[in-house]
């Protein structure tokens, strides 16, 4: 089939995976995780729940969309593996996209049936994010196919490449701490922003410490990202794809920090928290592409 068809399917699948992530955050924020009872894949013993409450609808639609997207991710991975087999990164992202969407589904099902700790459930969001990002990168590979290498293979120093790898890991750590804040119910532990209940240093209250650590990690990430942009501005402006990717990542982390403050100021408004989850997903996906570009630089002869 034509490459354009794969590109369109990739865009649709990427958007669908982003919806799954937002739905997962909605389930967590509304406490709807047990709204279908301790059963999976059935909901209160029914394939389609009758007279569902709002929480049941939230949980059920999340399961339904996740199931549909699981099939689409598998189809997209197989299609990409066949059509883009000449690209060295294709197999890796195809395997990751399928592996992590299955893993996050099993983790979600296990939490419903047997229950799970907050620390493990925080991984549920992270696994979904890896699957989403792998689908995104597969889609970008389809759009890159046939393009000149000067646009897709930058030339950067080994130190800058390692710094980009470090930042990618750091972003994932910030994602995990944010998910842990949600699952432990620590979101309201720190009133006000940027201070925590009027204090620069939090108390020894566990919830405050969890919340404050996430804030500290996010603020540190923002500074690290700005420093990377400064280096890119000085040395990489002519390497347009890499520079734009770093610039967008810096914009996204800025919006993410602001949206975090907005969540606090609005008293954890549901739309604000959903936007916060959306922005961290877009940031991680964008910077993962930055890391892919950096990796190619290291592979140059």
């Amino acid at each position: 089939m034509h490459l354009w068809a794969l590109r369109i399917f990739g865009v649709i699948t990427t958007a669908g995976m982003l919806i799954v992530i937002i739905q997962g955050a909605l389930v967590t924020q509304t406490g709807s995780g047990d709204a279908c009872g301790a059963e999976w894949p059935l909901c209160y013993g029914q394939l389609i729940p009758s007279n569902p409450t709002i929480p049941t609808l939230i949980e059920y639609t999340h399961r339904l969309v996740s199931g549909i997207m699981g099939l689409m991710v598998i189809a997209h991975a197989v299609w990409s593996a066949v059509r883009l087999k000449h690209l060295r990164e294709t197999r890796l992202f195809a395997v990751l996209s399928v592996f992590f969407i299955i893993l996050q589904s099993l983790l979600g099902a296990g939490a419903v049936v047997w229950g799970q700790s907050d620390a493990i459930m925080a991984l549920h969001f992270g696994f979904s994010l890896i699957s989403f990002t792998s689908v995104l990168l597969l889609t970008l590979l389809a759009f890159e196919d046939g393009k000149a290498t000067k646009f897709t293979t930058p030339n950067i120093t080994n130190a800058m490449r390692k710094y980009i790898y470090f930042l990618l890991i750091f972003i994932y750590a910030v994602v995990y701490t944010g998910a842990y804040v949600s699952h432990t119910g620590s979101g309201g532990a720190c009133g006000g922003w940027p201070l925590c209940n009027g204090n620069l240093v939090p108390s020894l209250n566990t919830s405050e410490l969890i919340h404050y650590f996430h804030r500290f990690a996010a603020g540190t990430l923002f500074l690290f990202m700005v420093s990377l942009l400064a280096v890119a501005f000085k040395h990489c402006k002519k390497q347009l794809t890499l520079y734009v990717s770093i610039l967008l990542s810096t914009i996204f982390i800025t919006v993410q920090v602001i949206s975090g403050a907005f969540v606090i100021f609005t008293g954890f408004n549901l739309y604000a928290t959903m936007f916060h989850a959306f922005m961290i997903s877009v940031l991680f996906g964008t910077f993962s592409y930055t890391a892919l570009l950096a990796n190619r630089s290291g592979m140059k002869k």
Side-chain angles (χ1 to χ4, degrees):
M1 297 181 70
H2 292 293
L3 184 60
W4 64 264
L6 176 59
R7 290 170 175 170
I8 293 174
F9 188 72
V11 170
I12 294 172
T13 307
T14 301
M17 281 303 300
L18 189 55
I19 291 173
V20 168
I21 290 176
I22 301 305
Q23 282 187 315
L26 178 61
V27 169
T28 300
Q29 290 298 321
T30 58
S32 303
D34 59 355
C36 275
E39 301 177 46
W40 190 93
L42 299 180
C43 184
Y44 291 122
Q46 299 175 311
L47 184 60
I48 301 176
S50 58
N51 302 316
T53 63
I54 296 299
T56 299
L57 279 175
I58 292 173
E59 169 66 8
Y60 180 77
T61 54
H62 177 53
R63 292 187 187 185
L64 179 63
V65 174
S66 294
I68 294 172
M69 290 313 306
L71 296 176
M72 291 183 66
V73 167
I74 293 171
H76 181 245
V78 173
W79 191 355
S80 298
V82 173
R83 184 64 178 79
L84 304 174
K85 61 183 178 181
H86 56 287
L87 301 179
R88 69 179 179 88
E89 302 101 344
T90 301
R91 182 177 297 179
L92 172 63
F93 296 139
V95 170
L96 288 178
S97 65
V98 174
F99 176 78
F100 278 100
I101 196 169
I102 292 175
L103 186 59
Q104 67 92 15
S105 296
L106 293 176
L107 186 60
V112 169
V113 178
W114 298 296
Q116 194 54 270
S117 69
D118 294 327
I120 297 299
M121 281 310 301
L123 291 172
H124 186 63
F125 183 87
F127 290 161
S128 299
L129 190 57
I130 293 177
S131 183
F132 156 74
T133 300
S134 299
V135 171
L136 171 64
L137 293 178
L138 276 178
T139 301
L140 291 175
L141 288 181
F143 279 95
E144 282 186 348
D145 195 31
K147 299 293 188 299
T149 56
K150 67 178 181 179
F151 296 112
T152 60
T153 308
N155 183 23
I156 61 176
T157 65
N158 186 50
M160 185 175 182
R161 183 171 62 255
K162 289 181 178 179
Y163 188 58
I164 289 173
Y165 293 162
F166 162 74
L167 279 187
L168 181 63
I169 296 171
F170 199 102
I171 292 172
Y172 193 78
V174 171
V175 168
Y176 180 82
T177 62
Y180 191 62
V181 166
S182 295
H183 283 284
T184 57
S186 303
C190 279
W193 189 93
L195 299 180
C196 181
N197 298 324
N199 299 314
L200 180 61
V201 179
S203 70
L204 296 180
N205 177 279
T206 302
S207 295
E208 276 193 28
L209 287 174
I210 292 172
H211 189 132
Y212 189 81
F213 183 77
H214 173 62
R215 286 194 190 186
F216 180 79
T220 303
L221 174 61
F222 171 76
L223 296 177
F224 283 163
M225 193 69 73
V226 170
S227 69
L228 177 63
L229 179 61
V231 173
F233 181 78
K234 184 176 181 180
H235 300 288
C236 304
K237 284 192 294 185
K238 293 184 179 180
Q239 303 184 67
L240 190 59
T241 305
L242 177 67
Y243 179 70
V244 170
S245 183
I246 293 173
L247 176 61
L248 286 175
S249 297
T250 307
I251 293 173
F252 292 152
I253 184 58
T254 303
V255 176
Q256 175 69 4
V257 170
I258 294 172
S259 71
F262 194 69
V263 167
I264 300 296
F265 293 145
T266 59
F268 295 87
N269 175 272
L270 185 59
Y271 295 108
T273 55
M274 293 301 97
F275 182 74
H276 194 58
F278 168 80
M279 283 309 307
I280 195 63
S281 304
V282 173
L283 168 63
F284 186 76
T286 303
F287 200 76
S288 293
Y289 183 62
T290 304
L292 172 61
L293 295 173
N295 179 256
R296 289 173 180 163
S297 174
M299 297 294 291
K300 291 179 71 175
K301 301 295 184 180

